[in-house]
Amino acid sequence: MAEVVEVLVPGGRATAGPPLGPSLGPLGINVKAVVDEINKKTASFNGMQVPVKIEVDAKKNFTLTVGIPPTTALIKKEAGIEKGSGEPNVKVAGNLPFEAAVRIANMKLEGMLSYELKTAVKEVVGTCVSMGVTIDGKKAKDVFALINEGKYDSALVK
């Protein structure tokens, strides 16, 4: 019977402390080896919270599955901001290029409710609305209308 541990760790900077150490210690595996492997696989997501799934089999072998950080974390990284706006409809927290919204949608496409890139980009733009982030200097709600009109169709071709 395999044991499964799912945790959110800081990309490239996981430690043997909580939440990993207390979760993995009772399973009898080398926690340092797991932490080193996680840090190696999550180095590209430095500064973001990354979901990690650790499966430990009966022979104490472990398998890591690294997920994609939350959409908000990817938007913050691409827009170069620390956090979203406290008043999204009043204050602008940052600006995200439309191409970055497409990149984020491509990264997250498997885990999204959308089946097509166009609707996945609309999900990312919707997250920008709640964070107070503009897209190419335009309000995110205005970008919705432009996507629906087909103004961005050339950028949405895979």
Side-chain angles (χ1 to χ4, degrees), residues 24-121:
L24 297 176
L27 300 179
I29 60 173
N30 183 346
V31 177
K32 182 174 178 358
V34 175
V35 169
D36 290 344
E37 185 76 16
I38 289 172
N39 286 337
K40 191 166 53 174
K41 288 188 174 186
T42 62
S44 62
F45 298 122
N46 191 13
M48 291 187 258
Q49 293 292 316
V50 183
V52 176
K53 184 175 171 183
I54 305 147
E55 293 181 51
V56 182
D57 65 18
K59 296 179 182 172
K60 307 295 181 206
N61 298 321
F62 65 89
T63 309
L64 285 180
T65 309
V66 177
I68 305 290
T71 305
T72 53
L74 295 170
I75 290 170
K76 286 190 284 189
K77 181 180 180 186
E78 290 282 350
I81 57 175
E82 288 290 316
K83 61 181 190 170
S85 174
E87 301 174 51
N89 291 327
V90 180
K91 295 180 184 167
V92 174
N95 184 50
L96 186 73
F98 187 77
E99 295 76 32
V102 174
R103 269 197 309 277
I104 292 169
N106 272 319
M107 272 196 240
K108 299 287 291 181
L109 193 56
E110 282 184 34
M112 291 181 136
L113 298 172
S114 303
Y115 296 117
E116 299 171 3
L117 181 60
K118 186 173 187 174
T119 52
V121 170

